[in-house]
Amino acid sequence: MSDDATIDELGPVDYLVVEFPPGEQRFTGEMARELLSLVDAEIVRLLDLLVLSKDADGNVEALELDDLEDAGELARLETEIAEILAEEDVVHLAEAMEPGTVAGVLVWGNLWAAPFASAARRAGGQLVASGRIPIQALVASFEAEIEAESEGA
């Protein structure tokens, strides 16, 4: 990205890997519709999308959006995706998967945060740390707090 107009459009970039165990792969199109609504609302810019499958022997197959036989509604994003993940990224991501599973990998730019990120860059700032709190950890924390309050009552 060489020009200022392009870099000013960038917000933080995130990724996630969602694993689907054998027998739990119920793809109805709902996830695609939700992703498309985020793209259409210009909340996120989809940078890459992969489907990984890991067989019982640990062999991994990676499919890009344009490799999928039936990409459904997501097919319209095919020309917008930058396909930024390299082969070594796929190997690294697949290490988190259990044998016999399928996973979706999404990489997106947070357009909603781009104006703030741009202002921070103009002020001389740079991102030095970022993180995510898993929803399961929040739920466990809330449940523990509720339990402690009820024991104290």
Side-chain angles (χ1 to χ4, degrees):
M1 306 252 162
S2 58
D3 65 11
D4 289 336
T6 304
I7 199 164
D8 281 346
E9 297 172 5
L10 293 176
V13 174
D14 288 318
Y15 78 94
L16 60 78
V17 179
V18 179
E19 181 182 74
F20 300 90
E24 298 296 325
Q25 301 163 6
R26 299 180 297 273
F27 305 116
T28 63
E30 181 181 10
M31 291 183 304
R33 286 188 298 277
E34 292 297 332
L35 179 58
L36 287 169
S37 72
L38 294 170
V39 170
D40 291 344
E42 297 183 349
I43 296 170
V44 300
R45 174 183 292 141
L46 190 61
L47 299 174
D48 212 339
L49 184 148
L50 293 175
V51 175
L52 303 179
S53 60
K54 189 172 191 176
D55 68 19
D57 296 326
N59 300 308
V60 177
E61 180 182 13
L63 299 173
E64 295 278 356
L65 185 57
D66 57 352
D67 296 327
L68 299 176
E69 287 181 24
D70 182 19
E73 298 174 61
L74 291 175
R76 71 177 170 91
L77 298 177
E78 189 174 323
T79 58
E80 298 175 28
I81 294 178
E83 295 184 358
I84 62 172
L85 294 173
E87 184 176 341
E88 57 268 14
D89 297 322
V90 171
V91 170
H92 175 72
L93 294 169
E95 289 174 0
M97 296 172 60
E98 293 294 323
T101 61
V102 173
V105 178
L106 295 175
V107 180
W108 69 93
N110 291 288
L111 295 177
W112 60 269
F116 175 78
S118 180
R121 285 190 292 272
R122 286 192 301 273
Q126 60 184 2
L127 183 64
V128 295
S130 177
R132 213 38 73 143
I133 300 171
I135 191 69
Q136 296 90 333
L138 286 175
V139 169
S141 175
F142 294 148
E143 288 173 349
E145 186 176 316
I146 291 169
E147 185 175 326
E149 288 176 1
S150 66
E151 289 175 1

